[in-house]
Structure formats: C-alpha cells, structure tokens
Amino acid sequence: MAILKTIPTPNGVAAAHRIVKSELVDLAIKVQVHMYPSAEKAQDAHLLWQEYPVLPLSALDVQDPVGSLERALAAQEEGLFAGGVYVADPAADDVDTAKTRKWAQIKGERDALESGGFDMPGLGRFDSNAESRARIVGAAMAAKIAQDAAQPYSIRWTLADNTTVELGAEDVIAVGFALLAHTDGIHQRSRQIYAQIQAAQTAEQVADISWTQEPVEIETAA
C-alpha cells in the first residue's frame, strides 16, 4: 500500500509514501510516514524523509488499519499528502495500478529535472526551482520594459554555483527564453511518456517505460 504524490524533501523528490507506524495520542492517531523516490523503491534503503502527521481517531478502520489511515491522509483537504493517490499493493499483472505508479514516478523525475537548473553558454548555470523561475520571469519582464523605453538595465545575478554575473537587458531576456525552452522541453517529454503509459497493455510494458527511453509506439489490441 502507498500514497502516490510528488513531494519535494530536503533529500530529493519523493513520489511514494507509506505509513510504517501509528500510535494513539490524545484521542487522535499520530502516524509515521516514510517517503521514497518511487513505488518501486519503497524500501528503507531508499528512504528520503519521514513525516509525522496526525489523523482523527475516526479515520481508523480496524479491519484495514494501514490502508484506512493512508486513504485518510490522501483524502484530506489540507496537509502534505492531501490530493495524493492511494494504491493497494497490486498483483504483478495489475496494469492499472502499474500505470498509476509509473506516472507518479515520471512526474517526480519531471519535477526534479524542471527544478534542476539549466546552462546558458557564456554566462553559466542558472537555478530553476520555483523561486528562481519566478525571479527570472520578473527580471525578464523588467528588462523588456526598460529595453522598450530605451532605458538602461542591468542586474547582478547569482548563478547555481554561487558565483555572480552582471546581466544586461538582452542577457536577461535571453535567460528568460532559455528557461522557457528548458521547462517546455521537459513537459513535452512528460506528455509523450504519459501517452505511452496509457497505451501500454500490460504491467510489463509499463515497467519498461522510463524517462531516458526513446519514445516508442506501443501496439494496441485490435
């Protein structure tokens, strides 16, 4: 059993989460959740992080204690695991669960790549996490406004390696376009993979799909 949701942690992006322990605390249930890179790597050797959310006692079904608590975590309107997808441990040939797990894995890899930075020849490597993307977009807009008004513009930018570089208006606008190409290329690739996952007919075909694999056309049953 697991909750599938892409969540950044201090040690990397986690995509699969399992309750490993629960205890009664003041008429509520405190659970220990282990967070892993993917459902396939949901073992202690691949543990990235752990959290200790609290659930109401009413969330517990004694006939299915772990499953009921994981479903409750995913069903919350707020909270770290809210909106996640709960999956039971599937049989080897459960293609639908295999697809759900594979897409959660791919989304985790997509988000890690999107936030992993990009290179600009002659300038250096730029951060591309959510905060950095917002800063680049804002700076590019300001640079374009200054350029259109024939006003000078420059900004000293901290690169991914913590060195700094002085950027003019044209440089900043070029960085903005490079960011767009970086993120768009990653999302185009993820859409190709999503289509490939949906077209798969067996769990074995799903398992063979990866981010680095060249796109292939899977024959569908007639």
Side-chain angles (χ1 to χ4, degrees):
M1 295 172 284
I3 300 168
L4 304 182
K5 182 181 178 182
T6 300
I7 302 174
T9 79
N11 295 322
V13 176
H17 322 283
R18 285 181 168 171
I19 291 176
V20 297
K21 183 180 178 181
S22 62
E23 60 179 330
L24 186 64
V25 178
D26 296 330
L27 299 180
I29 300 175
K30 181 180 180 181
V31 296
Q32 180 179 354
V33 182
H34 281 187
M35 305 170 69
Y36 308 96
S38 66
E40 290 79 10
K41 294 183 177 180
Q43 300 95 29
D44 285 346
H46 301 288
L47 179 64
L48 291 175
W49 196 249
Q50 52 190 349
E51 292 286 341
Y52 298 87
V54 176
L55 290 166
L57 189 58
S58 59
L60 177 65
D61 179 352
V62 294
Q63 301 298 320
D64 181 19
V66 176
S68 63
L69 295 176
E70 288 183 345
R71 287 192 294 272
L73 280 178
Q76 288 180 316
E77 292 185 2
E78 297 181 353
L80 187 62
F81 304 99
V85 177
Y86 168 81
V87 294
D89 287 329
D93 59 352
D94 185 345
V95 65
D96 289 334
T97 301
K99 287 180 179 182
T100 299
R101 291 190 171 198
K102 178 61 70 172
W103 179 234
Q105 173 192 334
I106 293 298
K107 286 198 297 181
E109 294 175 358
R110 178 198 67 192
D111 294 347
L113 286 169
E114 185 175 17
S115 297
F118 63 96
D119 293 310
M120 282 289 293
L123 294 177
R125 186 168 184 83
F126 288 76
D127 290 316
S128 63
N129 55 40
E131 182 180 353
S132 296
R133 294 196 299 270
R135 290 186 63 234
I136 290 171
V137 170
M141 291 176 62
K144 185 65 169 66
I145 291 170
Q147 190 179 65
D148 290 346
Q151 295 297 314
Y153 180 91
S154 67
I155 186 171
R156 180 157 289 277
W157 199 272
T158 302
L159 299 173
D161 63 0
N162 289 321
T163 61
T164 61
V165 61
E166 192 77 22
L167 302 176
E170 290 187 0
D171 295 325
V172 175
I173 292 170
V175 171
F177 278 115
L179 171 64
L180 177 62
H182 169 72
T183 57
D184 183 59
I186 290 169
H187 280 267
Q188 284 193 38
R189 177 70 180 117
S190 72
R191 287 192 290 271
Q192 290 176 338
I193 298 174
Y194 180 80
Q196 192 175 352
I197 291 170
Q198 296 308 308
Q201 299 297 305
T202 67
E204 289 75 15
Q205 288 180 335
V206 174
D208 288 339
I209 297 170
S210 70
W211 189 271
T212 56
Q213 178 192 46
E214 288 296 321
V216 296
E217 183 174 340
I218 296 175
E219 294 184 4
T220 58

